[in-house]
Every structure is written in structure tokens, then in C-alpha cells.
Amino acid sequence: MPNWFARLGGLMSAAERKSGGPQSLMTLTQLGEASWSRRGFVSLANAGFVRNPVVHRCVRMIAEAATRVPLVAEEGGRRQSEHPVLRLLARPNARQSGSELLEGVYAYLQTAGNAYLAATLIEGEVRELYALRPDRVRVVPGRDGYPAAYGYTAGGRTQELKLDSKPVAAVLHMALFHPLDDHYGLAPLEAAAQSLDIHNAAAEWNKALLDNAARPSGALVYSGGSGTLTEAQFTRLKTELEQGFSGARNAGRPLVLEGGLDWKAMALTPAEMDFMELKHAAAREIALAFGVPPMLLGIPGDNTYANYAEANRAFWRGTVVPLVRRVADDLGFWLAPGFGGVTLVPDLDGVEALAEDRAALWARVGGADFLSDEEKRAMLGV
């Protein structure tokens, strides 16, 4: 005869379960630990950019908006619209346009926290630029702990890209700030990983519910008042449940119980879970990590901005412009030795979303009578 603990755990044999009279079975369960997706660029890119529409749209919005900001060359305090470095950025290699290359840089920064550009150096000149996949690049530290080179692995071969090449380093590493890593950056996608898992899990649960619409989470409880179920009765009941009450075709079909059977719900309903608000909350947290106003993504429940135009201006001011300036500074610092000390700066005058801000700046500077024309031009970047 099994002891009380064996009975509690449901470890009785089939013969012992059938031999007694009316019985009840109690199962004790507790909430298990949450299961989170694996970290790392490949895993997060698959779960986020590839499978999640909120992440995909955030990354595309940031990358495409940043690519629309033109870069101009500044040399000797004067801006130039024609310069060899600008021609290189407009056509960096034979396979890509400049917009495609920079869009990849901005997208990699959002998904990996790191972006790498490799330079093809021929006879002391920078001829081509290529973007490298971040997961294929590894830092090769020197004796002082700082990067001395970068190893790029592709096709089973590893190529070492040195930082002491002339006239520029063979590779440029752009990284977002990471408080716990000396070399690699922290991506917004990684910061949004938990919200991403919640959003994906809600979508998977919803799809499973649609696929098994008439099989609610619960259990059939047999009171045993009229005896026990025979093996044939148990098999027939199980078959009827699987064939007649599961799947989308049987959605809403009533379940008629008899012979001492009772249905006990064992899961929360969508209404009890506040299912839609759960998804919207996770989507808002994802958008927050990327710096995209939820209103621009069509996520309801966010009334921070008075209208769509104000949300769009906040997106450009707080997310796009700082990112473009950072990338322009890194590119200019990297390419300057090969192009006569040129500096790259973003030209914000041509950005339609910032036209109102630029017009206000021009009006304020133009009305400053105490400034000379040269000082006004310098403030406006002309």
C-alpha cells in the first residue's frame, strides 16, 4: 500500500486506483521559472528582427531615417558638397550604394550594438568600404589590453585586420555604450530582450489558441460516484475529445458531460489575462528601448504626444539626429588621415521633419543684430 506522499504525487498503480471507492486526487503545482531566449546577436536577431514586427519596424525606421540625413565634408571651416570622401561614401564598393552601406551600419548598431567597416587600401589610398557582420568579428587585444587588430571569420577562414595600417586603420569599430564590457557595445535589442520574449510568447499563445480553439486548458474530473471508468470507456472518451472538440473547425462546439464527469478550468482566460494590454505593454517597452514613440508604430494607449507630427519630431530629435552625429564623427575621425584631415558633419537643413526647428533657428539668428554676417553663417553651419 503506497504511503500518503505516493498518493499525493499520483504514483499509485492502475490496479490500486480502480480497486477503491470514490476517490479524489490533488496535485500541488507552483509557478516555475520564466524561460527567456538565449542572448547573443544571432539568437536575438532571429527572435527580434526576423520574427517580431515591433522590433523589425523600429530598426527599419531608425536605419532608414538616419540614412536620409546627408553627410557633408567640412575642411578648413568651410563646407563642401563635392569631395573625394563624399564620392567614396556615395559609392563605397562595386556591390553597394552609400545608402545601403550606411543603412546596414545603423541597423547593426540597433541589433548588435556594434558596427564594423573594413577599408580596402591600395597604393596608400582608400578605395572601397565594406560592412562586416558583427557576429563574425572578434577583438584581438594587444599587450596593453586595447584592441590591436580585429579578426574576421567567414567561409572557415579568419582574416586579421590591423589597426596600424596606413593611411587609415583597416577596420572601423563603432560601438554603443556598454557599462560592463571593455570592447563591445550594448544593443537596444538586448535591453528589450525580456519584453521581446513576452511579445513573442503572446503571439505564439494566440496562434496555439486559434489552432486548438475548442480545447481549453482544463481537466475532466470524474467523481467516481457511479463506479470507475473502464479502459474502453477511458479510451473512447479521450478519442472523442481529440476528434470532436479540438482544432479550429470545432471552435465553439458545446461539450456535454454526463456520468459523473465535470469540467474544471485550469488556466486563465484571455479576458482574465488582459491579453491585448499585455501585448501592447510589451510593445511599448520595446519601442522605449529603441527610442521610437509608440504612436509612430500604431500602438494604442500612449497619449504622451499631442499629435503624430510632434511624436515624429521627438523621434528625430532624440533618436535619429544623435545617432547620425555619432556615426559621422566616427567616420570622419577614421577617414580624416586619408583625405587631408576632412571632417564629416550631418546636413540637417534638408530633413523635412526638422524643417520647423531649422526655420526657428534661422529666424532667431537672423534677428540677432549684434552678430556679424560671418558669425551668423558660422552658427548656422553655412
Side-chain angles (χ1 to χ4, degrees):
M1 180 66 65
N3 58 25
W4 185 85
F5 292 98
R7 291 180 180 274
L8 183 62
L11 300 178
M12 296 183 298
S13 64
E16 289 171 331
R17 286 198 302 267
K18 292 180 180 181
S19 61
Q23 300 173 1
S24 61
L25 180 64
M26 177 179 64
T27 302
L28 299 180
T29 61
Q30 61 181 357
L31 186 64
E33 294 185 0
S35 176
W36 304 109
S37 297
R38 296 179 59 186
R39 297 300 181 258
F41 171 70
V42 175
S43 177
L44 288 176
N46 281 325
F49 188 79
V50 176
R51 295 175 50 200
N52 189 275
V54 179
V55 172
H56 185 91
R57 186 55 185 153
C58 285
V59 175
R60 290 292 301 273
M61 283 184 64
I62 295 173
E64 292 174 356
T67 306
R68 286 165 48 195
V69 181
L71 300 179
V72 296
E74 192 173 88
E75 195 171 19
R78 298 176 62 87
R79 289 192 177 183
Q80 302 180 20
S81 57
E82 292 292 334
H83 195 278
V85 72
L86 297 180
R87 290 193 290 271
L88 174 66
L89 292 176
R91 188 65 175 176
N93 57 67
R95 301 177 181 177
Q96 288 181 307
S97 65
S99 298
E100 186 178 356
L101 179 76
L102 288 178
E103 183 177 340
V105 169
Y106 295 124
Y108 279 140
L109 286 174
Q110 301 304 308
T111 54
N114 303 277
Y116 302 87
L117 288 179
T120 300
L121 307 176
I122 301 177
E123 297 179 354
E125 294 184 0
V126 183
R127 298 293 181 86
E128 293 180 328
L129 301 177
Y130 292 90
L132 307 179
R133 264 182 51 174
D135 59 312
R136 295 177 176 175
V137 182
R138 292 294 180 267
V139 173
V140 180
R143 298 180 62 182
D144 57 359
Y146 291 98
Y150 288 85
Y152 181 69
T153 302
R157 299 176 58 187
T158 299
Q159 178 184 2
E160 190 174 83
L161 306 173
K162 296 185 176 297
L163 297 182
D164 57 357
S165 56
K166 301 296 181 182
V168 302
V171 62
L172 169 65
H173 179 195
M174 291 170 280
L176 300 181
F177 174 71
H178 195 317
L180 302 177
D181 200 299
D182 296 329
H183 302 301
Y184 303 104
L186 177 66
L189 179 57
E190 188 169 354
Q194 290 189 348
S195 299
L196 168 65
D197 283 347
I198 293 174
H199 198 273
N200 284 345
E204 292 173 1
W205 185 85
N206 196 23
K207 179 63 167 60
L209 186 65
L210 292 175
D211 289 343
N212 274 302
R215 180 188 281 178
S217 298
L220 282 176
V221 179
Y222 180 65
S223 63
S226 58
T228 58
L229 290 175
T230 64
E231 189 68 26
Q233 290 174 325
F234 175 79
T235 302
R236 180 177 59 84
L237 179 60
K238 180 180 178 181
T239 303
E240 289 180 356
L241 285 175
E242 292 177 349
Q243 296 180 355
F245 297 94
S246 65
R249 291 186 176 182
N250 297 317
R253 184 175 180 180
L255 179 65
V256 180
L257 303 177
E258 59 180 349
L261 292 175
D262 186 21
W263 176 260
K264 297 294 184 182
M266 300 177 65
L268 298 177
T269 65
E272 292 170 334
M273 291 179 60
D274 204 358
F275 181 76
M276 292 308 300
E277 181 55 33
L278 173 69
K279 287 196 67 176
H280 293 330
R284 282 192 291 270
E285 290 178 352
I286 294 173
L288 175 65
F290 282 95
V292 178
M295 181 180 289
L296 301 182
L297 301 173
I299 302 173
D302 191 302
N303 299 320
T304 304
Y305 304 98
N307 50 49
Y308 186 91
E310 180 61 30
N312 191 44
R313 280 195 294 270
F315 168 63
W316 276 87
R317 294 171 189 157
T319 301
V320 178
V321 172
L323 180 63
V324 173
R325 284 178 173 164
R326 179 193 179 103
V327 171
D329 288 344
D330 290 342
L331 282 173
F333 181 78
W334 179 45
L335 297 174
F339 293 90
V342 68
T343 301
L344 294 174
V345 294
D347 184 10
L348 302 178
D349 290 335
V351 178
E352 182 180 353
L354 300 176
E356 185 176 335
D357 295 346
R358 299 296 293 177
L361 176 61
W362 279 66
R364 290 197 303 270
V365 174
D369 298 333
F370 58 89
L371 295 175
S372 65
D373 291 342
E374 291 296 330
E375 291 172 330
K376 291 179 180 179
R377 291 190 182 95
M379 292 185 65
L380 295 173
V382 178

